[in-house]
Amino acid sequence: MRKISKIAVLTSGGDAPGMNPCIRAVVRTGIYHNLQVVGIRQGYQGLIDNNMYDMTTRSVSNILNLGGTILKTARCIPFKSDEGMEIAYKHLKEHGIDGLVVIGGDGTFTGALRFSRKFPDISVIGVPGTIDNDLYGSTYTLGFDTATNTVIEAIDKIRDTADAHDRLFFIEVMGRDSGAIALRAGISCGAEAILLPERATAIDNLIENLKAGQFNKKSSSIVIVAEGDKTGGAYELAEAVRNEIKFYDVKVTILGHLQRGGSPSAFDRILGSRLGYAAVNALIKGETQKMVGLEANHIKLTGLEEALNQHQFKLEEDLMEMSEILSI
Ligand code: ATP
């Protein structure tokens, strides 16, 4: 079995609440096992720029409650080229690093798998860190719970004003390819309709539902639109129904980047801690090209290739059906 003595950790792609608890767990688990731990700044860009520093247990003090990532993150185009990967490898070797923990989404894992196949002497473990909850091999990804709670808090406030003025709100939430946040937030806030990239939106049905709501004396209606909905964003949908829904004043809110920020929830702090701890233990056991995830409340390792091949979020039809029945 390959012996690991020095590991590095980076965060890559979109930031997600819970990344900091995960970094903390990687650093402290590594040090507990007498490994040296290096932090890489700005994701793969930091590997190319040789932007890394030695971490101690104190480097990660008081970060459990912080959103974002103390290591910063980036989208790094040069890492996609062979030359970029070679520079990254050279820097890792110069520092004597033989294990790498990458925290990010499917793009991050694609890069990690390519890199690890090219340079198999560096072991790589992935941690699913993305608010989109769209990775195979983990029921939940880091940041999804916090982002969903942030969305719920915002929609509850919008519901107050919608109700006071008899308004229909189209609220756009994050999720280019995944309706995970929209679905959970929709159930939690009693949305009258939830529009997702995974399901075609029939405008006629939407109008009928909204009319039925008004007939049933609803004083407001909320339609949650995942940004990847195929009929267009919240503004387009609002225009499409405006002339048919005269009884409501139609408004649009795009929640935008506030969904990424904020202190991680208890769930994401614990998930980040568990996954970071498990990632280092996996490296010590000689694992590589794997993702650590949580399935049925147990840590599970999934090959990065398998996680990527099956990555898309599967729409939970039962939850959709329930939400439609409960929002009449
Ligand atoms: P999120 O789900 O939050 O968007 P992500 O990890 O999918 O996170 P991406 O921007 O898709 O975010 O990918 C992060 C980084 O991974 C890219 O900026 C790039 O450096 C690296 N990466 C993505 N695809 C590849 C690839 N095919 N080869 C090498 N590196 C890649």
Side-chain angles (χ1 to χ4, degrees):
M1 192 176 70
R2 186 189 303 159
K3 195 164 167 2
I4 299 282
S5 59
K6 189 166 183 178
I7 63 172
V9 55
L10 62 81
T11 48
S12 164
D15 60 306
M19 283 181 162
N20 282 326
C22 187
I23 294 166
R24 172 179 176 272
V26 168
V27 171
R28 294 194 173 169
T29 309
I31 289 170
Y32 174 80
H33 289 290
N34 297 316
L35 303 179
Q36 288 177 271
V37 185
V38 170
I40 299 165
R41 296 190 183 92
Q42 294 184 310
Y44 293 127
Q45 192 63 48
L47 281 182
I48 290 176
D49 297 342
N50 204 6
N51 188 0
M52 35 187 115
Y53 64 107
D54 292 335
M55 299 187 85
T56 68
T57 47
R58 293 285 73 76
S59 316
V60 290
S61 295
N62 300 325
I63 66 166
L64 274 170
N65 57 323
L66 301 181
T69 156
I70 60 161
L71 292 175
K72 311 279 185 186
T73 182
R75 307 215 188 248
C76 172
I77 304 298
F79 190 72
K80 293 187 176 182
S81 68
D82 286 346
E83 300 74 40
M85 288 206 177
E86 275 151 25
I87 295 168
Y89 177 72
K90 180 169 99 49
H91 288 147
L92 283 169
K93 291 307 272 187
E94 280 170 9
H95 287 272
I97 292 163
D98 36 30
L100 184 60
V101 176
V102 298
I103 308 168
D106 57 348
T108 300
F109 290 176
T110 305
L113 183 58
R114 271 189 60 204
F115 181 80
S116 166
R117 283 181 174 152
K118 211 168 152 56
F119 305 109
D121 55 324
I122 301 205
S123 300
V124 180
I125 297 290
V127 175
T130 167
I131 63 169
D132 289 340
N133 208 35
D134 60 351
L135 287 167
Y136 177 81
S138 194
T139 312
Y140 295 105
T141 58
L142 269 187
F144 169 64
D145 182 70
T146 307
T148 304
N149 278 298
T150 302
V151 168
I152 290 169
E153 205 183 318
I155 295 177
D156 284 346
K157 289 178 178 155
I158 293 170
R159 177 71 86 176
D160 289 346
T161 177
D163 216 46
H165 289 276
D166 287 357
R167 281 178 173 158
L168 160 62
F169 267 86
F170 283 83
I171 302 173
E172 189 171 299
V173 303
M174 281 190 172
R176 272 193 303 269
D177 305 306
S178 157
I181 290 179
L183 178 56
R184 290 293 198 291
I187 293 169
S188 305
C189 297
E192 276 62 32
I194 306 169
L195 310 182
L196 313 162
E198 294 86 353
R199 192 189 246 199
T201 298
I203 301 282
D204 293 350
N205 282 353
L206 176 63
I207 291 169
E208 281 317 304
N209 284 348
L210 293 169
K211 283 182 176 168
Q214 197 253 354
F215 182 77
N216 286 329
K217 303 205 170 11
K218 277 183 181 263
S219 55
S220 63
S221 278
I222 299 278
V223 178
I224 300 187
V225 186
E227 61 184 333
D229 176 72
K230 302 285 185 295
T231 38
Y235 279 108
E236 286 80 352
L237 282 157
E239 283 318 306
V241 307
R242 196 179 294 279
N243 287 332
E244 302 284 338
I245 308 286
K246 297 279 190 220
F247 39 89
Y248 287 132
D249 186 15
V250 180
K251 299 284 181 195
V252 175
T253 298
I254 313 277
L255 292 184
H257 281 85
L258 73 82
Q259 295 165 85
R260 285 198 182 276
S263 184
S265 64
F267 183 88
D268 277 327
R269 294 183 198 198
I270 294 165
L271 183 65
S273 301
R274 290 184 75 179
L275 295 180
Y277 178 76
V280 175
N281 285 324
L283 283 173
I284 291 169
K285 285 191 187 125
E287 298 285 0
T288 186
Q289 296 183 10
K290 300 269 169 68
M291 180 192 97
V292 288
L294 196 72
E295 295 271 4
N297 205 23
H298 289 286
I299 295 292
K300 183 184 145 194
L301 289 182
T302 303
L304 281 178
E305 184 174 8
E306 191 186 357
L308 285 166
N309 284 344
Q310 317 221 24
H311 92 277
Q312 73 273 36
F313 169 71
K314 303 245 182 337
L315 179 63
E316 292 147 300
E317 296 286 350
D318 55 333
L319 294 189
M320 268 307 265
E321 188 183 321
M322 178 189 79
S323 106
E324 282 161 12
I325 290 170
L326 298 187
S327 66
I328 50 175

